[in-house]
Amino acid sequence: MPSFHNGAVEIAYLDEGEGDPIILVHGFASSKNVNWVYPTWVSELRKNGRRVIALDNRGHGESAKLYEPAQYSIPTMAGDVLALMDHLAIPQADIMGYSMGGRMTAWLGLNEPQRLRSAILGGIGIGGLIEGTGPGETVAKALEVPSLDDVTDPVGRTFRAFADQTRSDRRALAACLRGTRDLMTRQEAARIEVPVLIAVGSTDDVAGSASALGAIIPGSEVLDIPNRDHMRAVGDKVYKTGVLDFLSRRA
């Protein structure tokens, strides 16, 4: 698996296919494989004539593991995406992020709009981006205890079980969670001018309302993924079909 260094931090990535580039940014406690390869996003996008790039965020997958929360701010992690684009000499791309990756993508849409052809915010609504209803300290503590049996908080149990399933470095994830608490204000979100698609499962109680976020980001489109929660929306056919339609209209 190829990798590059952004400063001292090694970032693993994949780069497959030919055509207009799309960069995929996975969610918290996930990886490029779990979020994008296994649910067939990479193969579907390639079949639709796309060059697909996906990275393991710092602290995740095959990328470097860091243990200080300050090393995981949203601007810092979004900077890894820009560094990857520079490494591959890609001046502009569509970027799709899921959950935490969606927050990174929104930050890029606000602060580096010239690098984005469009932004797809998956698994992130008003709660996760603006109101701070996503996983917090209870999840960080759930990652640090010896066993899942020690976790009583239901959200903590969900993320701890997921981290165990993906064989993640739980100490790095706890640091990441504590470092990525930067939220976006309504005023900042209202200044995002790149084309935006917001895609959230209809039973997702982590992301918050997609339509409420859509009402804030000018010109954004909202895609409801029926009967899917935060974990199960990722590979849904409705999500894929909606994204492919959105991308086809960027041509």
Side-chain angles (χ1 to χ4, degrees):
M1 186 63 62
S3 66
F4 77 105
H5 281 81
N6 184 18
V9 180
E10 185 175 14
I11 302 293
Y13 67 95
L14 64 81
D15 181 2
E16 300 182 5
E18 297 178 353
D20 291 333
I22 181 168
I23 298 173
L24 309 179
V25 189
H26 67 76
F28 175 71
S30 190
S31 69
K32 62 185 181 307
N33 288 335
V34 171
N35 225 148
W36 308 119
V37 177
Y38 302 154
T40 72
W41 271 106
V42 173
S43 58
E44 287 289 327
L45 288 162
R46 286 187 63 182
K47 279 193 290 187
N48 279 268
R50 288 286 176 150
R51 177 185 178 186
V52 185
I53 299 113
L55 73 160
D56 280 333
N57 290 320
R58 57 176 60 201
H60 297 72
E62 298 172 271
S63 290
K65 308 304 186 291
L66 310 169
Y67 302 104
E68 296 297 328
Q71 296 171 300
Y72 290 100
S73 71
I74 291 293
T76 298
M77 295 183 73
D80 291 334
V81 179
L82 294 174
L84 176 57
M85 293 176 70
D86 292 343
H87 174 71
L88 297 175
I90 296 173
Q92 188 181 56
D94 298 293
I95 301 182
M96 174 163 65
Y98 195 84
S99 195
M100 179 184 73
R103 294 171 63 204
M104 295 162 61
T105 303
W107 188 93
L108 289 168
L110 174 63
N111 294 281
E112 299 286 343
Q114 73 282 1
R115 305 301 299 269
L116 277 73
R117 186 180 179 188
S118 71
I120 301 166
L121 311 181
I124 191 80
I126 193 170
L129 187 64
I130 294 173
E131 296 176 345
T133 58
E137 182 62 21
T138 56
V139 173
K141 289 179 178 176
L143 292 165
E144 292 174 323
V145 296
S147 166
L148 177 62
D149 294 336
D150 300 315
V151 183
T152 56
D153 176 74
V155 177
R157 284 187 64 85
T158 297
F159 278 93
R160 172 57 186 264
F162 186 57
D164 288 346
Q165 177 188 347
T166 56
R167 296 183 174 88
S168 298
D169 183 324
R170 293 184 287 104
R171 189 160 68 94
L173 291 185
C176 176
L177 189 56
R178 291 183 173 117
T180 53
R181 288 181 171 169
D182 331 50
L183 296 173
M184 188 173 283
T185 67
R186 290 171 183 266
Q187 292 76 18
E188 287 171 332
R191 297 206 312 270
I192 297 174
E193 295 182 350
V194 301
V196 172
L197 175 68
I198 304 165
V200 175
S202 64
T203 62
D204 187 335
D205 56 3
V206 174
S209 171
S211 59
L213 181 59
I216 295 171
I217 299 177
S220 59
E221 300 180 28
V222 173
L223 173 66
D224 291 317
I225 308 168
N227 305 312
R228 296 298 189 199
D229 62 17
H230 195 68
M231 298 298 185
R232 294 189 303 136
V234 176
D236 189 86
K237 183 177 179 181
V238 171
Y239 182 17
K240 290 178 184 148
T241 301
V243 166
L244 290 171
D245 172 67
F246 177 77
L247 290 171
S248 73
R249 290 184 278 113
R250 307 277 74 70

